[in-house]
Amino acid sequence: MELKESSLYTATTPWFESYRETFLQSMPASDHEFLNHYLACMLVASSGEAEPMEQFSKLSQEQHRIQHNSDYSYPKWFIPNTLKYYVLLHDVTSGDEQRAESIYEEMKQKYGTQGCYLLKINSRAPNRASDEQIPDPWSQYLQKNSIQHQESYEDGPCTMTSNKNSDSNLLSLDGLDNEIKVDGLPNSFRVHPLQLDQCGDPPNTDGSDHTKSASVRENKKASTGVIRGACLTLTDHDRIRQFIQEFTFRGLLPHIEKTIRQLNDQEMAAVSAFLQPGAPRPYPAHYMDTAIQTYRDICKNMVLAERCVLLSAEILKSQSKYSEAAALLIRLTSEDSDLRSALLLEQAAHCFINMKSPMVRKYAFHMILAGHRFSKAGQKKHALRCYCQAMQVYKGKGWSLAEDHINFTIGRQSYTLRQLDNAVSAFRHILINESKQSAAQQGAFLREYLYVYKNVNQLSPDGPLPQLPLPYINSSATRVFFGHDRRPADGEKQAATHISLDQEYDSESSQQWRELEEHVVAVANKGIIPSSFYPTQYCLNSYSDNSRFPLAVVEEPITVEVAFRNPLKVPLLLSDLSLLWKFQPKDVNGKDIERARERARLKLFPHHIGELHILGVVYNLGTIQGSVTVDGIGALPGCHTGKHSLSMSVRGRQDLEIQGPRLNNTKEEKTSVKYGPDRRLDPVVTEEMPLLEVFFIHFPTGLLCGEIRKAYVEFVNVSKCPLTGLKVVSKRPEFFTFGVNTAALTPLSPSTSENCSAYKTVVTGSPSAGTALVSSASSVDFGTSTGQQLEAIPVPLPDSVLLPGASVQLPMWLRGPDEEGVHEINFLFYYESVKKQPKRRHRILRHTAVICTSRSLNVRATVCRSNSLEDEEGRGGNMLVFVDVENTNTSEAGVKEFHMVQVSSSSKHWQLHKSVNISENKDAKLASREKGKFCFKAVRCKQNEAAVQSSEKYTFADIIFGNEQIISSASPCADFFYRSLSSELKKPQDLLSAHTEKHGAEEAVRLIQKCSEVDLNLVILWKAYVVEDNKQLILEGQHHVVLRTVGKEAFSQSQKQADVDVIVDLRHKTTSPEALDTHGSFTWLGQTQYKLQLRSEESRSLQLKACFVHTGVYNLGTPRVFAKLSDQVTEFETSQQNSMPALIIINNA
Amino acid sequence: MAVCIAVIAKENYPLYIRSTPTEDELKFHYMVHTSLDVVDEKISAMGKALVDQRELYLGLLYPTEDYKVYGYVTNSKVKFVMVVDSSNTALRDNEICSMFRKLHNSYTDVMCNPFYNPGDRIQSRAFDNMVTSMMIQVC
């Protein structure tokens, strides 16, 4: 259907027509039939002849002699009594008209009016001919080859006459043929005896022949030239037409009608039946079928059978019986003649498509069969044409195997015909369309493709490199990385992880980094993020924002990672892979970019600033021949640098075109499909920027919770310009510190710091027996203000500038996070160039530290008013601080025991005064699961309160258990204290405010709350004795407890917050037998079991009633409390730890 | 049971072809392809008026030496072609017909999927499983 409109579909097949004609012409007439037999003979004489009548009789005798003399086996004459038609040719320009008329009268008398004709032609002068274009009346009756023949013999008058003679003979026969629409019936003029007689045997010819031919020549003088019929006018054309009509209707047809009834050959009868116009009977196809079958099977005469088929097919076609015609044509195809079969199959295919409902698939199928036969017959062009025509049916229809076959044949045929471009594109189709062929087949296709491709390339070696179809490039997966590769760890130095192509994209972490960068930029710009700020992207991938041109720095490599995919089942060998790029330098200095290669990562090294465009990749594509192992299948062998195998390989390119994200903002974009730009591959090379490298020395991977460890950081400026403004930002500022004024108190190089305490310590001669040593420090000194929740910590560089090539090692203290488990801590280092640049102000460096912490101590503290103890100075406001320290370490980490070293207080208003219960456990040792209790007395600070408030000054008081004082007001102890304080403050403050709002209306309540407020912070410093690899190590650490309310417990570690179901069961204890013994003397009254749900941070008080029968001391701490997570269905309930004994003394009333 | 099952679009291109994993995939493609002519003939043989109430199941399209080819055409001119091993005599017309109905139902489900573009190749896993079940069912 659509096929018929296509340009490639050829409705006409001239080659077939000429084949048919030639076939019919060259076919010898057979004895049993009358095709190609002459029905009539036309005798022509000129009116200029001296004795035309005599000529006629002579010609008549001649004809008689040829027909009845046995010398001539050819031509065959239809019937003995051949119709003779006498024509007197009269040239109007030269002849005497009256004479001609009189001769004609004479002819009529002699041969009858039906048998003769006077033809007048040439009614104008020959010289006028040239400018008027009257079509040659003869041309439609003359075969092309006969015209050529005639022209080639133009010189010889003798041959010319003979030609003319034959022409007129042909004329009559052709005219007849033309009438009956069965063209191609003419006899072969070359073997015509009349002609042979005249030119091949001149001595035999008598004068009359000469005169006749002379007259003919005279009459048609003009027509012997290239332009025949130049002397003819339109009247002549009419006359000629009239003459032919006269001849056929008056002379020939009556004659045939007379004889046709005698024909009994079925074939002839069928043809005749068809020829009869308006015949009432339908075309008797079965006659034809029988005839063909008989010819083929019985007579074994393929030639006659073929002729019969050709005739019948034409007839059927003219009657639109295409399927019958096709069947007929297909039936004749056989093994013996490829060419004939091909032609017939092709005709059959045309029949299928010409049907009323075109049978497209049959058309295509037979076209392919025809193409196959054509190629077998060596007709490559025809074969190619057939396949191409069939291709139109199958193209893109999903019949992949058929399509592959056609493409492969087209490729081959095109190649043999040197249509290399077509061949390449055909092979390309096979390879790229997710071929379903077997591996061996694909390998063959690939080799063939490469071979053809190579030939194409050799034709134009200097042309642009052509596009290769394989392997596929997943262009959206292309990643671009700016910067040097990460240096591997150098001895003890561990480089900052930064960012590399090996890292998988993680949207959560990239968001975190982005926030960190935004934050640090805001800090660097005095709290405002500049409008020109965009987060730095070192690695561009399909997730990153690629709408802007990325910035690359001169003299820093750009790495492009290209993702290849091999759709084939055979391995592909890529070699000499390199990037294609275009560079627009900003300076006129020119450029020098070197290319490096590593796997599918390609590196560019820009040496000048400007705009770079990465266009694509260039590579050699080849096959691996020889021992191709099956396990290579699927996996891309990548770019082996190794020796090139002898296999074929071609060089070509593939462009990298990355489609941006689909736009979906405006209504127009939503309704249409539009894509934004993706500038991943178009970096702008900017001026030199400083480049920082950071190394960590002695950086631990495992810590105890709260452990303090000292490590060193080395900052190296590897660029050629100085850097400044170095800052570091992290979400966990409480994890690390650079300390304050560290230069004075720590060894500068990491090697000398081995086995040194992380703390600043002072040896005290004798233990101060539990009294506090007081010092003070301001939080401002430690760079911590409680206002902002996230801080950018400036790195204390000497002179705050790092010169090119310079490196600085700085100490860094780490404190293990309070929560147990694996912590990923992100550091973002921020730095700027000394000179301001318009495009990019800052650069960043990332580091992710992974720290695994294990449980150490759990500290619980309460503060309560001391009523009994009086201050020495008699002032009230003394307080007791109870501290419970539990060793929660599960000795996995090899920790033997913890020693409490020191407890320090830090507050604006309070300070620890002395230890109350110095027991025999002087060094405060805690083995696994042991618990220690400490009690301290706290007093109000002596400073003026107003001054304290304004200066943010904290008073530090250290109570030492050993003989070494850790100065808690100095780095790093105070650093971590302030950090934890600030992170501690941000959480409960919200809660507190919410809490106050609840009761906000009542001023009294708030006042009461204010009264019970206290701001005492405790720092518990400890040492842990650890056995590791048979060596004893001493680890140090500190825990913080923030005490805010009198009587409320505070923990060193934020408690897990979850909704819990709580069961308070009072009866439980009473059922226990031993409890009965000791405490059986009182009973709980009223409700003895409560079930309630507590939300996080919620507190609830229950009223319990007890009845005491006797006087005495009772322990009321008997209730058992069970809790479970509310969202868990399991019945597993954890029992609360036994609460402290609550003693009550009942006196006798 | 069936050795090849194909779904052919109205415009006579395959939406889905699955055959038993033999080397003769091409042969089955060819068989299905050729059967389309028979389907066309069968449909066009029916008068316009009859088309509406015709039976969707076309019956045996043509037998070859080793296989039998059955056809089924939906009202939207989507063709289902099933190639069955000739040796399998247990399979009656009725069963073939019910298999086609199952196939049709599954195809309808595929079409009901809002993410399926009509005319695309069928890549539904549910459909795949159904076809698999029809192909491996032990006879």
Side-chain angles (χ1 to χ4, degrees):
Chain A
M1 294 146 263
E2 74 274 20
L3 198 70
K4 281 189 165 172
E5 292 147 25
S6 133
S7 61
L8 266 171
Y9 169 75
T10 46
T12 56
T13 50
W15 53 89
F16 178 70
E17 262 112 58
S18 74
Y19 166 79
R20 190 180 53 204
E21 260 161 38
T22 318
F23 171 76
L24 291 172
Q25 272 179 28
S26 60
M27 208 184 107
S30 46
D31 293 333
H32 74 287
E33 58 172 20
F34 302 100
L35 279 178
N36 279 359
H37 284 43
Y38 288 117
L39 291 170
C41 179
M42 194 183 287
L43 307 171
V44 186
S46 166
S47 60
E49 201 78 42
E51 286 295 336
M53 293 307 288
E54 207 173 305
Q55 283 299 329
F56 278 130
S57 61
K58 269 187 186 168
L59 283 169
S60 174
Q61 281 162 22
E62 182 76 12
Q63 190 274 329
H64 189 82
R65 188 173 66 83
I66 291 166
Q67 187 178 355
H68 296 287
N69 198 327
S70 53
D71 294 349
Y72 300 93
S73 64
Y74 190 82
K76 308 262 186 204
W77 299 91
F78 190 57
I79 28 178
N81 177 19
T82 308
L83 170 69
K84 289 179 188 136
Y85 199 73
Y86 301 88
V87 179
L88 183 66
L89 199 59
H90 176 68
D91 192 338
V92 182
T93 48
S94 60
D96 180 358
E97 188 139 1
Q98 277 185 353
R99 180 160 179 272
E101 290 288 350
S102 69
I103 295 166
Y104 181 55
E105 283 303 315
E106 210 175 319
M107 282 163 66
K108 275 203 274 192
Q109 278 177 8
K110 191 170 177 186
Y111 304 113
T113 24
Q114 309 251 310
C116 47
Y117 193 81
L118 171 65
L119 180 60
K120 300 177 186 172
I121 53 166
N122 287 11
S123 40
R124 64 171 179 177
N127 53 357
R128 293 213 318 260
S130 55
D131 50 344
E132 267 181 71
Q133 292 297 319
I134 295 172
D136 179 4
W138 309 110
S139 64
Q140 54 180 315
Y141 305 117
L142 288 174
Q143 300 286 319
K144 263 196 197 121
N145 46 10
S146 75
I147 292 166
Q148 281 161 358
H149 188 260
Q150 174 198 17
E151 280 163 6
S152 64
Y153 283 97
E154 212 173 329
D155 298 337
C158 187
T159 43
M160 211 190 309
T161 46
S162 70
N163 275 327
K164 287 309 121 191
N165 204 336
S166 70
D167 276 354
S168 47
N169 268 300
L170 278 169
L171 169 71
S172 64
L173 284 164
D174 285 358
L176 168 69
D177 290 344
N178 218 297
E179 281 292 304
I180 63 173
K181 286 198 182 123
V182 184
D183 46 354
L185 276 178
N187 200 353
S188 172
F189 60 90
R190 257 164 282 196
V191 288
H192 199 282
L194 284 174
Q195 168 192 347
L196 277 177
D197 192 39
Q198 286 173 350
C199 65
D201 195 15
N204 272 1
T205 49
D206 46 16
S208 65
D209 264 86
H210 272 290
T211 48
K212 186 207 79 162
S213 45
S215 72
V216 170
R217 183 175 54 177
E218 192 181 7
N219 281 343
K220 294 183 164 183
K221 199 182 204 166
S223 63
T224 55
V226 180
I227 309 158
R228 277 186 312 268
C231 297
L232 300 179
T233 58
L234 286 173
T235 357
D236 290 334
H237 282 248
D238 287 341
R239 284 178 189 154
I240 290 164
R241 203 174 303 121
Q242 211 179 341
F243 157 68
I244 291 164
Q245 269 176 12
E246 186 77 9
F247 168 66
T248 44
F249 291 120
R250 287 296 228 1
L252 194 61
L253 282 181
H255 180 74
I256 292 170
E257 270 166 23
K258 259 194 280 171
T259 52
I260 204 159
R261 293 183 190 94
Q262 300 161 9
L263 302 176
N264 51 7
D265 190 4
Q266 281 175 323
E267 177 193 355
M268 204 59 205
V271 176
S272 314
F274 167 68
L275 288 177
Q276 280 179 342
R281 285 174 297 157
Y283 172 66
H286 58 279
Y287 284 11
M288 220 45 155
D289 290 349
T290 324
I292 295 162
Q293 211 169 346
T294 315
Y295 276 139
R296 198 177 51 190
D297 300 340
I298 299 163
C299 311
K300 307 277 182 219
N301 191 336
M302 285 310 287
V303 181
L304 288 176
E306 185 181 352
R307 183 192 61 189
C308 206
V309 164
L310 293 179
L311 284 174
S312 182
E314 287 304 322
I315 292 161
L316 288 169
K317 273 201 249 175
S318 73
Q319 295 186 331
S320 301
K321 290 177 177 167
Y322 285 108
S323 67
E324 288 89 339
L328 217 56
L329 289 165
I330 292 165
R331 215 182 302 158
L332 196 72
T333 59
S334 60
E335 287 301 311
D336 43 283
S337 167
D338 285 322
L339 183 60
R340 185 181 67 208
S341 301
L343 283 163
L344 295 180
L345 283 169
E346 191 186 0
Q347 287 308 305
H350 279 286
C351 287
F352 285 125
I353 199 134
N354 281 320
M355 284 166 71
K356 207 158 41 178
S357 55
M359 302 178 85
V360 187
R361 283 179 305 285
K362 279 201 164 171
Y363 163 78
F365 182 66
H366 285 94
M367 228 30 182
I368 286 174
L369 291 179
H372 178 67
R373 299 305 289 268
F374 269 130
S375 79
K376 273 172 91 180
Q379 298 286 334
K380 285 174 188 141
K381 279 186 183 166
H382 280 300
L384 179 60
R385 181 184 46 74
C386 284
Y387 274 100
C388 285
Q389 283 180 352
M391 188 62 199
Q392 296 173 77
V393 177
Y394 286 103
K395 195 170 198 167
K397 287 287 165 61
W399 295 103
S400 60
L401 294 175
E403 205 176 333
D404 283 355
H405 169 75
I406 297 171
N407 266 320
F408 184 66
T409 318
I410 289 177
R412 278 220 160 144
Q413 296 290 357
S414 304
Y415 177 69
T416 49
L417 290 168
R418 308 306 293 172
Q419 299 177 0
L420 294 177
D421 289 341
N422 291 344
V424 165
S425 73
F427 277 119
R428 190 191 172 92
H429 269 286
I430 309 175
L431 294 172
I432 61 169
N433 289 333
E434 296 292 341
S435 167
K436 287 187 186 138
Q437 307 281 0
S438 63
Q441 192 69 48
Q442 287 185 348
F445 284 158
L446 181 64
R447 274 194 298 280
E448 199 107 359
Y449 171 73
L450 293 177
Y451 180 71
V452 172
Y453 195 91
K454 203 166 194 177
N455 275 286
V456 176
N457 271 13
Q458 277 163 0
L459 287 185
S460 55
D462 300 326
L465 280 172
Q467 298 274 344
L468 285 174
L470 288 170
Y472 290 179
I473 291 181
N474 185 0
S475 53
S476 71
T478 304
R479 295 197 293 166
V480 183
F481 177 70
F482 300 99
H484 293 281
D485 286 338
R486 193 178 153 235
R487 250 197 261 171
D490 177 16
E492 287 195 302
K493 288 182 180 178
Q494 181 196 346
T497 52
H498 195 41
I499 191 168
S500 79
L501 284 172
D502 298 321
Q503 290 165 359
E504 294 283 320
Y505 177 81
D506 175 18
S507 68
E508 203 176 304
S509 74
S510 74
Q511 178 62 25
Q512 277 182 21
W513 287 118
R514 203 189 146 104
E515 280 168 12
L516 283 177
E517 188 180 353
E518 268 174 27
H519 176 77
V520 74
V521 167
V523 170
N525 290 286
K526 297 173 188 75
I528 308 142
I529 297 175
S531 59
S532 62
F533 166 74
Y534 293 107
T536 314
Q537 291 179 329
Y538 279 114
C539 182
L540 298 176
N541 50 32
S542 51
Y543 306 103
S544 55
D545 176 15
N546 302 324
S547 55
R548 280 168 294 109
F549 292 101
L551 295 178
V553 178
V554 73
E555 303 290 354
E556 282 180 35
I558 302 164
T559 312
V560 180
E561 186 185 79
V562 185
F564 289 108
R565 187 171 73 84
N566 183 2
L568 298 184
K569 295 172 189 143
V570 288
L572 296 172
L573 178 74
L574 305 188
S575 50
D576 287 344
L577 190 68
S578 57
L579 279 178
L580 264 184
W581 42 261
K582 193 172 76 182
F583 187 70
Q584 291 168 352
K586 255 202 184 144
D587 299 345
V588 243
N589 295 346
K591 65 200 186 290
D592 172 27
I593 299 181
E594 72 182 52
R595 293 172 229 157
R597 170 170 70 75
E598 188 188 30
R599 292 184 171 266
R601 288 182 188 163
L602 301 127
K603 240 187 236 174
L604 285 173
F605 205 82
H607 288 311
H608 285 278
I609 61 171
E611 283 170 27
L612 186 66
H613 301 276
I614 296 159
L615 304 174
V617 286
V618 188
Y619 56 94
N620 287 340
L621 176 69
T623 53
I624 299 167
Q625 274 177 343
S627 58
V628 175
T629 46
V630 189
D631 50 343
I633 283 171
L636 183 73
C639 334
H640 295 305
T641 17
K643 55 182 185 214
H644 287 259
S645 55
L646 290 171
S647 65
M648 200 169 336
S649 76
V650 294
R651 188 149 187 88
R653 59 182 277 188
Q654 262 196 82
D655 287 348
L656 283 169
E657 277 158 9
I658 305 176
Q659 194 176 43
R662 191 176 157 188
L663 301 175
N664 214 7
N665 295 323
T666 64
K667 192 187 173 191
E668 194 189 340
E669 285 166 352
K670 277 175 184 161
T671 49
S672 62
V673 180
K674 278 188 181 173
Y675 294 92
D678 193 305
R679 313 219 193 271
R680 230 180 287 179
L681 296 172
D682 306 316
V684 176
V685 181
T686 59
E687 283 171 50
E688 281 195 323
M689 291 282 285
L691 185 64
L692 178 74
E693 277 187 17
V694 175
F695 297 96
F696 296 91
I697 304 155
H698 298 327
F699 199 87
T701 53
L703 287 174
L704 293 169
C705 292
E707 185 187 338
I708 307 290
R709 191 74 74 85
K710 189 174 172 185
Y712 282 85
V713 196
E714 185 178 57
F715 297 96
V716 187
N717 184 356
V718 293
S719 68
K720 285 177 184 155
C721 41
L723 68 86
T724 184
L726 182 60
K727 288 180 183 62
V728 61
V729 68
S730 171
K731 290 252 172 181
R732 308 281 295 268
E734 72 275 12
F735 174 68
F736 67 97
T737 180
F738 288 105
V740 177
N741 300 323
T742 53
L745 56 101
T746 56
L748 264 178
S749 83
S751 53
T752 55
S753 72
E754 297 264 9
N755 304 320
C756 256
S757 171
Y759 291 111
K760 183 185 179 188
T761 55
V762 170
V763 178
T764 54
S766 60
S768 53
T771 44
L773 302 163
V774 181
S775 59
S776 69
S778 168
S779 69
V780 182
D781 294 340
F782 293 91
T784 318
S785 69
T786 50
Q788 265 181 325
Q789 56 166 348
L790 196 61
E791 269 304 305
I793 299 147
V795 177
L797 289 175
D799 306 329
S800 73
V801 172
L802 199 57
L803 294 170
S807 74
V808 170
Q809 279 185 349
L810 292 175
M812 180 194 210
W813 286 271
L814 307 168
R815 180 174 177 270
D818 285 324
E819 292 86 29
E820 173 196 13
V822 178
H823 302 266
E824 266 193 25
I825 295 158
N826 292 339
F827 297 91
L828 187 100
F829 295 93
Y830 166 100
Y831 56 98
E832 291 168 357
S833 176
V834 169
K835 47 179 178 178
K836 292 277 172 253
Q837 287 190 355
K839 283 219 171 93
R840 190 194 274 177
R841 299 234 169 88
H842 70 276
R843 301 191 86 177
I844 55 164
L845 179 73
R846 299 178 184 178
H847 178 65
T848 303
V850 179
I851 296 287
C852 182
T853 54
S854 46
R855 275 191 276 178
S856 56
L857 294 175
N858 194 9
V859 182
R860 197 156 55 142
T862 39
V863 61
C864 57
R865 280 182 219 287
S866 158
N867 297 320
S868 54
L869 286 165
E870 277 296 315
D871 190 15
E872 285 104 8
E873 289 151 44
R875 269 182 22 185
N878 288 349
M879 293 211 281
L880 283 176
V881 181
F882 298 98
V883 179
D884 286 7
V885 183
E886 190 189 0
N887 179 356
T888 53
N889 186 267
T890 52
S891 57
E892 295 152 10
V895 180
K896 270 170 70 186
E897 53 191 16
F898 285 92
H899 288 234
M900 300 306 299
V901 176
Q902 184 177 325
V903 174
S904 301
S905 74
S906 164
S907 171
K908 289 178 196 166
H909 311 290
W910 295 88
Q911 68 178 66
L912 287 184
H913 181 61
K914 64 179 183 184
S915 174
V916 173
N917 63 335
I918 298 290
S919 58
E920 69 287 342
N921 185 9
K922 217 178 172 194
D923 50 352
K925 234 193 276 181
L926 284 177
S928 181
R929 313 301 298 184
E930 268 183 354
K931 213 171 183 182
K933 272 182 184 295
F934 300 91
C935 187
F936 304 101
K937 191 179 146 193
V939 293
R940 219 171 253 283
C941 300
K942 295 181 179 72
Q943 280 102 338
N944 181 7
E945 249 177 65
V948 167
Q949 287 277 358
S950 63
S951 66
E952 294 274 309
K953 247 196 161 52
Y954 282 77
T955 306
F956 288 82
D958 305 338
I959 292 179
I960 314 155
F961 297 122
N963 52 5
E964 227 179 15
Q965 187 201 1
I966 296 167
I967 299 168
S968 55
S969 58
S971 285
C973 182
D975 294 89
F976 286 114
F977 161 69
Y978 284 122
R979 295 271 161 80
S980 82
L981 189 66
S982 67
S983 67
E984 189 79 21
L985 279 177
K986 57 190 172 187
K987 281 182 282 177
Q989 264 176 352
D990 308 334
L991 198 99
L992 209 72
S993 62
H995 194 68
T996 46
E997 260 173 46
K998 247 188 212 170
H999 311 277
E1002 296 179 46
E1003 188 76 9
V1005 174
R1006 244 186 47 206
L1007 263 174
I1008 292 163
Q1009 277 179 350
K1010 189 125 185 152
C1011 286
S1012 62
E1013 266 176 30
V1014 66
D1015 65 332
L1016 183 65
N1017 309 299
L1018 296 178
V1019 181
I1020 294 99
L1021 295 132
W1022 46 264
K1023 276 185 183 169
Y1025 289 84
V1026 178
V1027 178
E1028 204 179 75
D1029 300 334
N1030 296 324
K1031 271 198 296 183
Q1032 182 156 335
L1033 298 174
I1034 298 171
L1035 305 177
E1036 297 164 304
Q1038 66 186 59
H1039 277 82
H1040 311 116
V1041 180
V1042 177
L1043 287 165
R1044 210 173 274 133
T1045 318
V1046 174
K1048 201 178 169 191
E1049 276 196 332
F1051 300 91
S1052 66
Q1053 186 178 346
S1054 61
Q1055 301 296 304
K1056 274 185 196 148
Q1057 296 175 356
D1059 293 2
V1060 286
D1061 284 329
V1062 176
I1063 299 170
V1064 179
D1065 192 355
L1066 302 176
R1067 295 168 305 169
H1068 193 90
K1069 204 74 179 182
T1070 57
T1071 57
S1072 135
E1074 78 261 57
L1076 271 171
D1077 293 340
T1078 43
H1079 314 288
S1081 47
F1082 78 97
T1083 40
W1084 294 104
L1085 295 181
Q1087 192 179 1
T1088 54
Q1089 192 173 22
Y1090 295 86
K1091 275 193 181 181
L1092 46 132
Q1093 196 172 34
L1094 287 177
R1095 275 178 298 169
S1096 58
E1097 299 280 340
E1098 192 183 352
S1099 68
R1100 189 86 77 85
S1101 56
L1102 296 172
Q1103 210 175 39
L1104 306 173
K1105 282 177 190 164
C1107 174
F1108 301 91
V1109 189
H1110 302 289
T1111 55
V1113 181
Y1114 295 90
N1115 181 12
L1116 290 180
T1118 56
R1120 281 267 168 128
V1121 181
F1122 299 92
K1124 66 164 187 178
L1125 289 173
S1126 59
D1127 52 353
Q1128 274 174 359
V1129 200
T1130 50
E1131 281 304 302
F1132 177 73
E1133 291 168 342
T1134 52
S1135 165
Q1136 197 80 353
Q1137 276 171 352
N1138 204 355
S1139 54
M1140 278 196 279
L1143 299 178
I1144 187 166
I1145 302 168
I1146 307 289
N1147 294 322
N1148 230 339
Chain B
M1 193 176 244
V3 289
C4 177
I5 288 174
V7 181
I8 311 293
K10 180 170 183 278
E11 294 83 9
N12 287 327
Y13 60 88
L15 293 174
Y16 184 90
I17 291 196
R18 260 276 293 284
S19 52
T20 47
T22 54
E23 290 302 298
D24 265 358
E25 201 183 349
L26 179 64
K27 187 166 124 194
F28 287 122
H29 273 222
Y30 169 71
M31 231 185 272
V32 171
H33 186 256
T34 323
S35 68
L36 295 181
D37 287 325
V38 189
V39 173
D40 273 359
E41 274 168 26
K42 289 215 177 198
I43 296 174
S44 57
M46 272 181 272
K48 260 270 153 50
L50 284 171
V51 168
D52 294 337
Q53 59 239 25
R54 76 187 164 83
E55 176 70 24
L56 299 178
Y57 177 52
L58 295 179
L60 182 66
L61 297 179
Y62 66 91
T64 65
E65 275 178 29
D66 304 322
Y67 302 104
K68 284 183 193 154
V69 186
Y70 293 91
Y72 184 96
V73 181
T74 70
N75 283 323
S76 55
K77 298 280 187 300
V78 173
K79 293 131 192 141
F80 298 132
V81 178
M82 201 183 312
V83 184
V84 176
D85 209 313
S86 276
S87 59
N88 190 354
T89 47
L91 228 48
R92 298 273 172 76
D93 231 28
N94 258 345
E95 284 135 272
I96 299 276
C97 195
S98 70
M99 278 164 79
F100 271 127
R101 290 225 181 85
K102 255 167 73 187
L103 199 65
H104 193 171
N105 284 339
S106 193
Y107 173 74
T108 316
D109 290 345
V110 170
M111 292 298 286
C112 290
N113 178 2
F115 296 103
Y116 175 76
N117 283 334
D120 284 1
R121 285 199 148 236
I122 296 173
Q123 274 158 342
S124 150
R125 199 174 300 138
F127 190 79
D128 231 26
N129 292 340
M130 212 277 310
V131 169
T132 313
S133 77
M134 282 167 63
M135 287 179 73
I136 57 160
Q137 212 171 334
V138 188
C139 22

